[in-house]
Amino acid sequence: MFRRIITYCLIAGTTLAIAGAGAAFALYLWAANDLVSITRVSDYRAPQVTTVYARDKSIIGYLFREKRFLVNLDAMPPHLTKAFLAIEDARFFDHPGVDFRAIARAFINNMLESERIQGGSTITQQLVKRLLLTPEKSLERKIKEAILAYRLENYLTKEQILYLYLNHIYLGNSSYGVEAAARTYFGKHVGELTLAESAVLAGLPQAPSKNNPYTRPDNAGERRLNVLGRMLQLGFITREEYDAAVAQPLVYKQMPDPSWTVGSWYLEEVRRQLIAFFDEANVRRLGLAIDIYGEEAVYEGGLHVYTAMDPVHQRAAEQALRAGLHEADHRRGWRGPLEQLRGAEQAGFLKSSAFSPRDLDNSGWVKALVLRVDKNGADVALGNSYKGYISVRSMDWCRTPNPRIAAAGAAKIQDATKVLSPGDVVFVSAYGATGDANPTSAPADPENKKNPVEAYDSGSVTPDTVIQLCLEQTPDLQGALASIEIAGGDLVAIAGGYHFSPESQFNRATQARRQPGSSFKPVVYSAAVDQGFTPGTIVYDTPFVLPDRYTRRIWTPGNADGKFLGPIPVSRAIAASRNVSTVRVAQQIGMEAVVQRAHDLGIPGDIPAVLAVSLGSYEATPQTMAEAYSAFANSGKRIKPRIITAIENCWREPLVTFEADVQEAVSPQNAFVMDYLLKGVVSGGTGSAARVLNKPMGGKTGTSNDERDAWFIGFTPYLVTSVWIGYDNNIPMGRSEYGGKAALPVFIKYRKVVEPFYPPDDFPVPPGITWSAGQSDADGKKGAGFPMISGIPPRYDSGGGDDLGEQLMKEEMFF
């Protein structure tokens, strides 16, 4: 009887075992039926950060969708990998992908607690879940996870799996992988992490938000102790190492991210060019060793992009442009407060406006609430605890905007009640501000003997201090600067507006097409030089009329000053920017020659061959105009500059290099004659303020109709810089806002910073230049010789006197 029972039990057990095995096999077949291929893991390309460098190899910024920097295991400190293994998967090197012992332990521990505190997933399972499966929680997904983990262990080595995991895992604060997390939480690279810091990172994967060191430092600290305790328990660290790590104070700080700070305009232009360059068709045409394209290549490829940006030039360009726009905006006048608050709104504003005296450091601007105003000034509140005063003396620029009245002729503000009212919210800066974060109305100038301005000292300010302030407003006027270094054809700086922001990313230096006004005139005179015009050729600054071919309306070209100088040499005509003379020269040589010269100099498009174009009515970008003038600076060779110099893949293997596109636009002799003429603009013409730079320099101012655009383009043999100022909506800037007043000061501020990096060399004289004997110099005075091109018969008189209008009517060369 006993034997029969034993036999029945054995038969039943065997049957159940076979049934269980069959059920398990069926369950395996069911779960494995539609599993993804494990090879996808080896094919997986983790999205990485693309790094953009300046030409001195400093970092301009990062481009990414996921903030991740790949780093090899041997670059990670051993205690970092041990920390992750201790808390996530202590038997990682022993199990085949699924740890049934850990699953059982987690099940028991979780049953003993009121909430789930421990998981049984191995690092391999976690990697599978993130790379191959959906995040849903179901039995089917769990079984698939286990199957794939087992397969992965037989496909990759343990080290390869650990490498993928530590570089892929999300660790909070937009940080993917341990290198990004090290930068985010400790401001260092992963190889520099201490044991205590490594334990903090290891404690993040299961709940990055809950254990965020910035928002929940207590949780992060407790989790760190758990990790360290587990490492001690497993023998990964000694008691001495444990004690030292527990005692180490933790300082959380983020590695500075240079992205979208200095060089934002440049970085945005690089971003735009990269996306266009990595177009699939272009990549295939060039045969580049990369299989992702467009935005995916830029934001996920982990590229290393080297650029031509010079940080010194870029910072100087941005600061000069902002300062120039600030000054020009002040000449325009006061547009009014940011907002007007009443009653309870004022109390709510002050309560929500946290203020510290340090906010005014580094030329900071802050919002202030006007409390009381009298003729002499305004009392303002800065947050709930501090107060300030704006004197009417700092409001002398605050006239009511009127573009028909020049700032110099406007009455100065002498009554603060004409400017401010109680309840106004305004921007203010410190009187005596120092630093360069913003342009300010009264920067520190203690050495000024006539009106010294002592530096603002935030450390001495108490709630009882009345802070002396200046009224500020953000310019609505815009501008741009582009600067090309001649030697290598590098675009060393571009500033595309007053301030780069998510709301203002339009790069006016490279994208805004505006009328260059008189800065186009060198194109006309360059074409004329090839037809025998010399600096001494007499041209006529005398009135004439032109009928429109279609409307028969009369166009009477005039000069900005409303005067006519009569017969004058070309050198004086261009130095004084005489419009009428230029139109006459354009007629004499033919507008077809002018259009062709514009194209030679790189100004693109279907330029109409009409005389109005000779005065700059055709549109071009600031960078395009800098390129055109580069031919004069570079012995006739026009430079289309490079912005990107080289690109490497994520493993720093070269992908492509770039050189500037240099083309001969005019002869070296033509360029030298133009250098001579444009040096006259600086030495004694509309650009004479640039003489302060004390360098051999050519340049030309430009102003379009109704002062809608103001330009200055200047150059030495080493550097050419184009500056444009104007409104985006093309409204007039105001009377007398000429190129020499609005744009030239920006040029000077920028070049004062960078000129010490270049020698004071003059333009080289090419072969084929002869000199006149005692003819007119660049200022139209007798005694100095001027250059001429050998082999081109010189024209001593351009002709085209008072009968020009009648002649043009006969030739039908109308406006």
Side-chain angles (χ1 to χ4, degrees), residues 175 295 520 526 576 711 723 733:
S175 299
E295 291 190 1
F520 187 85
S526 175
W711 294 77
V723 177
M733 288 182 287

Coordinates of all heavy atoms in Angstrom, one line a residue, residues 175 295 520 526 576 711 723 733:
S175 N 19.9 65.3 -17.0 CA 21.2 64.6 -17.2 C 21.1 63.2 -17.4 O 20.5 62.4 -16.7 CB 22.0 64.8 -15.9 OG 22.2 66.2 -15.6
E295 N 18.8 67.6 -38.3 CA 18.7 67.9 -36.9 C 19.2 66.7 -36.0 O 19.7 66.9 -35.0 CB 17.3 68.3 -36.5 CG 16.9 69.7 -37.1 CD 15.6 70.1 -36.5 OE1 15.0 69.4 -35.6 OE2 15.1 71.2 -36.9
F520 N 27.4 101.8 -50.2 CA 27.4 101.2 -51.5 C 28.3 102.0 -52.5 O 28.7 101.4 -53.5 CB 26.0 101.0 -52.1 CG 25.9 100.2 -53.4 CD1 25.8 98.8 -53.3 CD2 25.9 100.9 -54.6 CE1 25.7 98.1 -54.5 CE2 25.8 100.1 -55.8 CZ 25.7 98.7 -55.7
S526 N 34.8 101.9 -57.5 CA 35.7 100.8 -57.9 C 35.5 100.5 -59.4 O 36.4 100.4 -60.2 CB 35.4 99.6 -57.1 OG 36.1 98.5 -57.6
A576 N 33.5 113.0 -48.6 CA 32.4 113.8 -48.0 C 31.0 113.2 -48.4 O 30.0 113.7 -48.1 CB 32.4 115.2 -48.6
W711 N 25.0 102.9 -41.4 CA 26.1 101.9 -41.6 C 27.5 102.5 -41.4 O 27.6 103.7 -41.6 CB 26.1 101.4 -43.1 CG 24.9 100.6 -43.5 CD1 23.7 101.1 -43.8 CD2 24.9 99.2 -43.7 NE1 22.9 100.0 -44.2 CE2 23.6 98.9 -44.2 CE3 25.8 98.2 -43.6 CZ2 23.2 97.6 -44.5 CZ3 25.4 96.9 -43.9 CH2 24.1 96.6 -44.3
V723 N 29.0 97.4 -39.7 CA 28.1 97.7 -38.6 C 26.8 98.3 -39.2 O 26.9 99.2 -40.1 CB 28.6 98.7 -37.6 CG1 27.6 99.0 -36.5 CG2 29.9 98.1 -36.9
M733 N 14.8 106.3 -37.9 CA 15.4 106.3 -36.6 C 15.3 107.7 -35.9 O 15.3 107.8 -34.7 CB 16.9 105.9 -36.7 CG 17.1 104.4 -36.9 SD 18.9 104.0 -36.9 CE 19.3 104.8 -38.5

